[in-house]
Amino acid sequence: MYGRWLLRMLQWAVWLVLRLLLACRYRVRLVGLDEVLRKPGPYLILPNHPAYADPPNLIAHLWPAFRMRPVLLDSIFRHPLLAPFRWIFRGISIPDFQRPTPADRERIEAAKAEIIASLQRGESVILWPSGRLSRDGREWIGGARLAAEVLAAVPQVTVVLVRTRGLWGSMFSWANGQPRLFAAILKAFLLWLANLFVLAPRRKVTVTLEAFLPEERPEPVRERLNPWLQAWYNADVEREEPTFVPYHFLFGPRTHTFPAPVSSPSFDWDAIRPPTRVLVAQVVEEKLKRPLTEAENQPQTTFLELGIDSLDVAEITLKVERITGHSSGGLPGTLGELWAIAEGLQEQPPPPPAPPPWFTPIVDDTRLSILGETIAEAFLHQAFQRRREVIVADDRAGVLTYERLLVGASALSARFRLLPEQRVGLLLPASVGCDLAILGLYLAGKVPVLLNWTTGPAALGHAVRLTGLRQVVTSRLFLERVSVEIPGIEWLYLEDIRASISRYELWARLLAVRLLPQWYHRRLHMSLPPQSLDPEQTAVILFTSGSEKAPKAVPLTHRNILSDQRACLEALQLHRRHSALGFLPMFHSFGFTITGLLPLFVAVRIVHHPDPTDATALVRKIATYRPSIIATTPTFLSFLLDRAKPGDLESLQLIIVGAEKCPLHLFDRVRHLAPNAQLLEGYGVTECSPVVSVNRPGRVRPGTIGEPLPGISVRIVDPETHELLPPQHRGLLLVAGPIVFPGYLGDDTASPFLYQDGKRWYNTGDLAEQTDDGFLIFHGRLKRFLKVGGEMISLPALEEPFSKRFPPTPDGPRAAVEGIETPEGRRIVLFTTEPLTLQEANAILQEEGFRGLYRLDEVRRLDKLPVLGTGKTDYKVLRRCLEAEIPQTARISL
């Protein structure tokens, strides 16, 4: 009782201060309050939302009459400046959807339950039904659902509609463009101060209220309630004209010209491909549960007009992102903006500027070398040698020195050391957090198992069973984003682990690194278990993309990885003044060995970006951090060049591409947009740690995958007889050397090795030839998969869900998937005897957990699928059918 009385006194005190402060700038006139109070409570108060300034003004003038609980956006009121007001007035937090995640649904459901419970207890609640600021002087409710769902649960409440006029045009409204709330608050305070508070010109505001009993309003379904609300809010004027009030009673302008109302971002809608429009329409129609009309399926159509609220838009956007692999900077407002997201064209806000320490000059340019024979040793030697030097950065963590990296990794290792299993899974994007986690696992003596979240649940489940995983390190935020589920796995969230690390522990570790580096180095080294000091022990387990029915587990030893890194250093002639942009995820073998660990071992700065498909953000990050090296695939490089403007890529000196054949036209585009860079094509496979060959700086031969790395042997043999072939002959590529892995995990895989001339050779399964002077020319793969954007798309994996649903009959198979690479991109087609649409077929794949690049481009219905004499599908016929559609000129260039 005493606590409740104290809170009430605090509420009155804060209300009084708020009322006095706002009275210095706003002259508010209430209309209809007495009539409203004649009707019984509790009251659900539903105002329009012209500006950020209307909630505090409404609370200041209505709270004494209603004592209502406000529903407040969590993203705004968790700020330290405003959080106390939420607590004092018992605000109900509700999430916004700038970055939609599945957790938002749970949070909004919890907020709705709290609103309903408050009304059922007889308390009044104020809720802004539109959920967003007015953009053009009108109130749009559209498909917002919250008000209708609350009223459906508590129909007995009295609804009080509130219409505020006079705030449209203030610095807290969209009348001059998107307002920046906290900057506007600071500006308003300084203006009040300059006006000596009491002399500030007043803005005249009219607040009109009207109450409606249950029988006086539409039934609580959004299709009827929302148009009624919208009509009432806009009843007096179709669009409110902005009002300007001088900022100072003596100085400054007396008039102001407002810009035209904001409109949707401008895109070249003709550049949106028809398949993208079809995909977006299918996803939207699935949510609407009806087809879009021709008039609706237009770029300017808003989701409000379609009756789709922000929560539904969040789900639609997330689904489109998962299917296409592109990400958004926030929620789209129109179909056209969703097209742009699906096409990867949405305008993103610029990245924050690179922190000044990133550009700290390099004081020495010693020859790059890897110290130590295992991963933990290589990191510790370099980190203690260069403790105070900047080494890694990303947008969330900022810039970290080796010192901070050591502190974080050692703190994590103390937690990882307690895990019972030797193998621990890791599921994180390229980031400082991923670097810290993997270094922490190595310092704890664990073997990371790197999981590919894009391969679908079946492949992930196979990976977990094959390696015996029980725990997987991830981030809660990232897991919500990718929506991965692995039954039987214990998730270890970095957020929770970090929360368990006290500031005292971090300071103690920092002081040890800074004041007693030699002692602390010895201590960390001595704490490593014997297997972490043996170069022949397994260092990591990666996975192939599953060219057969399940991905193969590839264990790489410390010697494999460090040998490949040392060979790359020699071949690429890197130096310490280089810096790199790393965006390939760790589950990608190149992302693990080269853009993940190698920079940390040789003190080459690297900035991370978590989304390798976000070409616009990557270009901006290059322009901001000015790295000199990037490593990517030709497909993603093409995306970068599409988004780049002259000058964006001028810092680049080396662009390394691999994982798929590099088109010759990319060399010309690089010369134009990255004039200081050399484009180096290379070749690698996971089983070879992964780099086998690469073109050298100053020795580039377009159309080849370069020369083998130093210390690596290759040979070309006949695919059937395995006899050695002379130069200029196409055959099977074999690789030998310290980079070659020891063999696959599991007993159900055939040996990939051949033994010739006293050496063990790895059979890559790829076709190549070698020139007289040692350059390798890649000619394609024998296995049935496509490489798209560096990702190996398994055609059998895409086919399996259809084979299960439509098993063969005595008449033959009923479904088969084949694909080819064309000048315009990949073309993956489902051939089937069943009446399936493309939407239905891709829905089947999505139900199986496939996303991103794992989708069909076309469905073709045949009366009968071609078969071999054995009764199996004749894929050569299907492939020829697709290849015949490529123009002859394009086929020659392939």
Side-chain angles (χ1 to χ4, degrees):
M1 180 68 70
Y2 177 76
R4 190 180 308 171
W5 176 84
L6 189 61
L7 177 62
R8 182 56 53 88
M9 294 296 294
L10 184 59
Q11 287 174 336
W12 278 108
V14 173
W15 167 81
L16 180 60
V17 172
L18 184 67
R19 180 70 177 265
L20 291 174
L21 282 175
L22 291 174
C24 296
R25 178 62 174 170
Y26 302 97
R27 182 175 294 141
V28 178
R29 182 171 66 96
L30 295 179
V31 178
L33 178 61
D34 293 339
E35 289 79 4
V36 166
L37 294 176
R38 293 192 181 100
K39 295 186 177 181
Y43 302 97
L44 177 61
I45 305 167
L46 302 177
N48 67 328
H49 200 9
Y52 283 127
D54 71 85
N57 274 288
L58 292 181
I59 291 173
H61 288 82
L62 300 182
W63 189 82
F66 296 101
R67 313 282 177 82
M68 65 280 189
R69 297 185 66 186
V71 178
L72 305 171
L73 277 181
D74 182 66
S75 63
I76 294 176
F77 281 86
R78 65 168 171 255
H79 190 280
L81 184 66
L82 299 180
F85 293 93
R86 179 175 63 183
W87 178 81
I88 291 168
F89 289 103
R90 301 173 59 236
I92 301 171
S93 294
I94 195 165
D96 57 6
F97 301 98
Q98 292 306 307
R99 289 295 298 168
T101 67
D104 285 329
R105 175 173 288 280
E106 298 179 10
R107 295 169 60 214
I108 201 170
E109 289 298 322
K112 182 176 72 175
E114 180 64 20
I115 295 168
I116 292 169
S118 293
L119 292 168
Q120 290 173 338
R121 290 194 298 265
E123 299 174 313
S124 295
V125 174
I126 183 169
L127 162 69
W128 284 261
S130 66
R132 69 170 201 162
L133 292 180
S134 171
R135 298 304 197 263
D136 60 359
R138 295 178 297 179
E139 190 73 2
W140 282 93
I141 309 299
R145 66 171 65 174
L146 188 56
E149 292 180 350
V150 168
L151 281 174
V154 281
Q156 73 279 7
V157 302
T158 297
V159 168
V160 178
L161 300 189
V162 180
R163 181 170 55 235
T164 301
R165 291 286 183 252
L167 291 177
W168 179 247
S170 78
M171 70 178 72
F172 294 98
S173 72
W174 271 79
N176 284 300
Q178 182 174 4
R180 298 173 58 196
L181 176 59
F182 295 102
I185 290 175
L186 177 61
K187 182 178 179 180
F189 178 79
L190 294 176
L191 287 170
W192 277 343
L193 190 62
N195 282 281
L196 304 177
F197 290 97
V198 296
L199 299 178
R202 266 59 165 186
R203 176 177 286 275
K204 295 179 181 180
V205 179
T206 301
V207 176
T208 304
L209 298 92
E210 187 174 355
F212 298 87
L213 297 173
E215 63 272 14
E216 298 173 334
R217 59 182 188 253
E219 63 177 303
V221 294
R222 60 179 175 174
E223 290 79 8
R224 296 188 179 182
L225 181 70
N226 290 0
W228 176 71
L229 290 173
Q230 193 167 293
W232 191 91
Y233 292 135
N234 300 315
D236 57 337
V237 291
E238 181 179 352
R239 186 198 303 268
E240 183 180 4
E241 292 299 321
T243 302
F244 175 72
V245 176
Y247 292 137
H248 196 273
F249 74 100
L250 288 179
F251 305 108
R254 304 288 103 178
T255 61
H256 177 71
T257 301
F258 290 92
V262 297
S263 59
S264 298
S266 176
F267 293 101
D268 179 8
W269 303 121
D270 293 335
I272 304 296
R273 296 174 302 152
T276 299
R277 302 185 188 210
V278 171
L279 168 66
V280 168
Q282 290 170 350
V283 175
V284 172
E285 288 169 352
E286 184 178 336
K287 175 58 66 177
L288 288 174
K289 295 183 171 52
R290 66 170 178 83
L292 290 168
T293 66
E294 184 177 351
E296 290 174 329
N297 196 16
Q298 300 298 323
Q300 67 272 16
T301 300
T302 68
F303 290 108
L304 295 174
E305 293 169 336
L306 292 175
I308 297 176
D309 73 354
S310 56
L311 189 61
D312 289 334
V313 176
E315 294 177 355
I316 290 170
T317 305
L318 193 59
K319 188 166 187 177
V320 168
E321 289 177 352
R322 289 174 179 167
I323 293 172
T324 63
H326 297 300
S327 63
S328 63
L331 287 189
T334 66
L335 278 181
E337 291 173 31
L338 190 56
W339 292 353
I341 291 172
E343 197 78 16
L345 298 177
Q346 188 198 42
E347 284 293 326
Q348 300 278 0
W358 176 260
F359 297 107
T360 303
I362 302 296
V363 296
D364 69 276
D365 196 14
T366 55
R367 179 182 175 86
L368 298 184
S369 62
I370 298 174
L371 308 173
E373 297 305 317
T374 65
I375 288 175
E377 289 179 311
F379 169 66
L380 290 176
H381 281 303
Q382 194 67 253
F384 276 98
Q385 183 174 310
R386 305 182 184 277
R387 301 189 308 276
R388 307 298 292 272
E389 294 187 17
V390 168
I391 181 59
V392 67
D394 68 14
D395 290 341
R396 293 182 65 86
V399 169
L400 268 67
T401 60
Y402 268 120
E403 193 172 64
R404 292 181 61 192
L405 205 59
L406 272 168
V407 169
S410 63
L412 289 175
S413 72
R415 277 75 187 164
F416 294 152
R417 197 173 287 116
L418 301 176
L419 300 178
E421 304 297 328
Q422 178 71 9
R423 296 172 180 170
V424 179
L426 188 70
L427 194 142
L428 288 168
S431 60
V432 171
C434 184
D435 290 345
L436 286 167
I438 204 160
L439 291 172
L441 288 172
Y442 281 121
L443 294 180
K446 303 299 181 181
V447 176
V449 179
L450 302 182
L451 300 176
N452 182 346
W453 57 85
T454 70
T455 56
L460 282 171
H462 169 77
V464 167
R465 290 189 298 272
L466 187 60
T467 56
L469 281 184
R470 292 176 56 188
Q471 291 99 7
V472 175
V473 178
T474 187
S475 158
R476 183 176 281 106
L477 183 64
F478 178 68
L479 195 63
E480 289 174 349
R481 190 69 182 161
V482 298
S483 192
V484 168
E485 295 182 5
I486 308 179
I489 279 295
E490 176 189 359
W491 297 109
L492 305 176
Y493 297 110
L494 282 181
E495 294 90 341
D496 297 341
I497 299 173
R498 287 170 181 162
S500 72
I501 303 173
S502 68
R503 290 184 178 273
Y504 170 79
E505 178 183 346
L506 294 176
W507 274 107
R509 292 180 184 274
L510 177 61
L511 290 175
V513 172
R514 184 167 295 181
L515 302 179
L516 302 168
Q518 294 181 346
W519 170 81
Y520 198 56
H521 188 180
R522 284 196 304 271
R523 179 182 174 184
L524 290 176
H525 193 274
M526 290 175 62
S527 68
L528 297 173
Q531 62 268 25
S532 296
L533 301 172
D534 184 354
E536 303 303 332
Q537 291 292 316
T538 298
V540 69
I541 297 175
L542 300 169
F543 294 89
T544 64
S545 295
S547 59
E548 299 171 1
K549 287 198 173 180
K552 297 175 183 176
V554 180
L556 297 175
T557 68
H558 294 274
R559 187 182 301 281
N560 292 152
I561 295 164
L562 296 183
S563 296
D564 201 58
Q565 291 174 336
R566 287 183 170 117
C568 286
L569 286 179
E570 184 177 347
L572 296 175
Q573 303 170 21
L574 303 181
H575 54 76
R576 291 213 55 235
R577 290 194 175 89
H578 280 303
S579 60
L581 171 64
F583 51 88
L584 296 175
M586 281 277 192
F587 69 70
H588 192 292
S589 55
F590 198 90
F592 173 78
T593 301
I594 306 302
T595 63
L597 294 181
L598 179 58
L600 307 181
F601 295 169
V602 296
V604 168
R605 293 174 186 171
I606 183 163
V607 57
H608 290 301
H609 189 77
D611 187 352
T613 67
D614 192 355
T616 300
L618 287 169
V619 168
R620 293 180 178 182
K621 186 154 285 185
I622 293 170
T624 301
Y625 280 82
R626 302 188 61 77
S628 57
I629 303 172
I630 62 168
T632 181
T633 67
T635 296
F636 289 148
L637 175 59
S638 180
F639 293 160
L640 292 177
L641 297 174
D642 288 342
R643 307 294 187 271
K645 303 184 297 295
D648 285 344
L649 309 180
E650 65 180 8
S651 68
L652 295 178
Q653 299 173 20
L654 297 178
I655 300 176
I656 305 164
V657 296
E660 60 186 7
K661 189 172 181 60
C662 183
L664 294 179
H665 69 83
L666 275 186
F667 288 85
D668 292 330
R669 297 189 66 195
V670 166
R671 278 191 289 271
H672 175 64
L673 288 166
N676 301 316
Q678 296 184 73
L679 178 56
L680 310 178
E681 184 177 2
Y683 167 84
V685 287
T686 302
E687 292 87 343
C688 293
S689 307
V691 184
V692 173
S693 67
V694 68
N695 280 270
R696 310 299 204 261
R699 186 175 164 81
V700 177
R701 186 172 299 178
T704 75
I705 52 176
E707 302 166 273
L709 293 179
I712 307 306
S713 301
V714 300
R715 60 170 40 184
I716 309 297
V717 301
D718 184 277
E720 295 182 358
T721 66
H722 295 164
E723 293 181 359
L724 183 64
L725 296 175
Q728 313 293 346
H729 282 71
R730 181 185 304 181
L732 197 60
L733 176 62
L734 307 183
V735 181
I739 65 173
V740 176
F741 79 131
Y744 298 112
L745 290 183
D747 301 325
D748 58 346
T749 55
S751 173
F753 302 115
L754 299 175
Y755 293 87
Q756 297 180 353
D757 300 334
K759 283 187 177 181
R760 188 190 66 157
W761 298 87
Y762 169 65
N763 178 0
T764 66
D766 291 330
L767 298 174
E769 67 176 279
Q770 193 166 22
T771 64
D772 291 326
D773 54 353
F775 282 83
L776 292 170
I777 301 173
F778 182 72
H779 285 293
R781 295 160 288 279
L782 295 177
K783 303 171 184 177
R784 277 200 67 235
F785 56 73
L786 299 179
K787 279 192 175 179
V788 180
E791 185 67 22
M792 301 172 76
I793 306 299
S794 170
L795 299 180
L798 288 174
E799 183 179 296
E800 187 173 5
F802 302 104
S803 299
K804 287 191 298 185
R805 293 200 181 207
F806 311 110
T809 67
D811 294 328
R814 293 193 287 164
V817 172
E818 185 54 86
I820 59 172
E821 298 174 23
T822 74
E824 291 75 33
R826 62 77 174 283
R827 191 77 184 160
I828 299 178
V829 179
L830 170 66
F831 295 88
T832 179
T833 61
E834 304 305 306
L836 282 178
T837 66
L838 180 61
Q839 179 181 4
E840 292 167 341
N842 275 323
I844 291 173
L845 292 178
Q846 292 164 28
E847 290 173 7
E848 294 291 325
F850 292 98
R851 57 178 63 88
L853 299 173
Y854 282 75
R855 67 182 186 277
L856 300 170
D857 300 301
E858 184 184 351
V859 173
R860 296 189 187 184
R861 189 175 180 187
L862 303 177
D863 293 331
K864 184 178 178 62
L865 268 63
V867 294
L868 300 168
T870 59
K872 296 182 179 180
T873 302
D874 189 346
Y875 292 100
K876 294 190 300 295
V877 173
L878 299 178
R879 186 175 182 83
R880 283 198 297 268
C881 178
L882 298 178
E883 290 174 339
E885 299 170 3
I886 304 176
Q888 186 68 26
T889 55
R891 212 176 311 157
I892 292 172
S893 67
L894 281 177

